[in-house]
Amino acid sequence: SYKELEEKAQKCTRCELSKTRTKVVFGHGPVPCELMLIGEGPGEQEDLSGLPFVGRAGQLLTQILASINIDREKDIYITNIVKCRPPENRTPQSDEAEACYPYLEAQIRLISPKIILLAGSPAVKQILKTDDPITKIRGQWIKLPGTDVSCMPIFHPSYLLRNPSKDAGSPKWLTWQDMKEVRGALDFFRAAKEMGA
């Protein structure tokens, strides 16, 4: 069950990150859920609170979701490829991401999303097993290997904080286009469900 999985993760010592964490940041949101977001790893605020995306990048994420009428508490499940904070907020190393991957696979199975948003290159690399740069594949629908789940790579909110311009073609503007796509897809799934498809 989800609860058992989370309890197991709270005690995990599969990689070095377990030695420096304050709290395990497992994930947050309804289970199951149509929409899931996978980021990179917890930062300082997340490590202290045990919740994903609560720092500045998380606040921006909340605004981005609200702009397409997605309530962060009710409509999306949020997690990261690693559940413990990497020192100095560095990118998770591949051995750390691999050690944590069984949790993520189990989360995806239990949450059974229709759509997964992959925020940032580390998440894209880990889930889609590709080295394509995010600038090239963001905004494209890519199937989760071996499943029917649609994944959409998007810029990580922390990248948007560093690139605040909203001009056409800017990362923020592109993210807005991507999110409108996601909203359209969710509406499509809901309509199909209501028609009993």
Side-chain angles (χ1 to χ4, degrees):
S1 75
Y2 179 83
K3 199 170 177 333
E4 288 163 348
L5 184 70
E6 182 166 17
E7 281 166 9
K8 194 174 157 198
Q10 296 295 345
K11 301 196 262 298
C12 181
T13 54
R14 297 180 58 149
C15 82
E16 291 294 303
L17 296 180
S18 62
K19 294 180 179 159
T20 51
R21 71 179 179 226
T22 309
K23 287 188 173 168
V24 171
V25 183
F26 189 65
H28 181 71
V31 183
C33 192
E34 285 184 340
L35 184 62
M36 182 173 184
L37 178 135
I38 302 171
E40 185 171 322
E44 186 183 10
Q45 299 296 318
E46 291 75 17
D47 177 61
L48 293 171
S49 68
L51 292 169
F53 282 93
V54 289
R56 281 182 64 217
Q59 289 160 11
L60 179 59
L61 177 66
T62 304
Q63 288 170 7
I64 291 168
L65 294 169
S67 74
I68 56 163
N69 292 327
I70 289 172
D71 180 325
R72 208 183 134 154
E73 292 300 310
K74 297 200 289 269
D75 303 328
I76 187 167
Y77 182 92
I78 298 174
T79 189
N80 287 298
I81 55 172
V82 295
K83 314 302 187 213
C84 300
R85 181 193 179 189
E88 307 296 311
N89 293 356
R90 64 163 168 73
T91 301
Q93 292 162 359
S94 54
D95 60 326
E96 294 160 355
E98 282 306 314
C100 226
Y101 194 59
Y103 294 116
L104 189 56
E105 267 189 321
Q107 278 174 310
I108 293 170
R109 211 170 40 246
L110 289 163
I111 286 140
S112 70
K114 294 251 194 293
I115 295 173
I116 299 178
L117 300 175
L118 300 171
S121 299
V124 169
K125 189 174 176 162
Q126 184 68 22
I127 302 294
L128 300 177
K129 309 292 181 216
T130 173
D131 285 321
D132 283 346
I134 194 140
T135 43
K136 197 175 126 198
I137 59 170
R138 57 131 285 276
Q140 294 180 26
W141 292 110
I142 303 165
K143 287 277 186 229
L144 181 67
T147 73
D148 239 2
V149 182
S150 301
C151 296
M152 161 118 29
I154 59 170
F155 289 121
H156 195 285
S158 58
Y159 179 75
L160 300 180
L161 287 173
R162 296 193 297 272
N163 294 275
S165 163
K166 291 181 179 160
D167 296 346
S170 70
K172 263 195 168 168
W173 182 85
L174 292 168
T175 299
W176 171 234
Q177 311 307 314
D178 297 346
M179 296 314 281
K180 287 193 287 195
E181 256 308 296
V182 169
R183 178 75 260 175
L186 283 170
D187 291 342
F188 175 78
F189 287 132
R190 288 205 178 131
K193 202 154 96 184
E194 277 159 22
M195 285 164 61

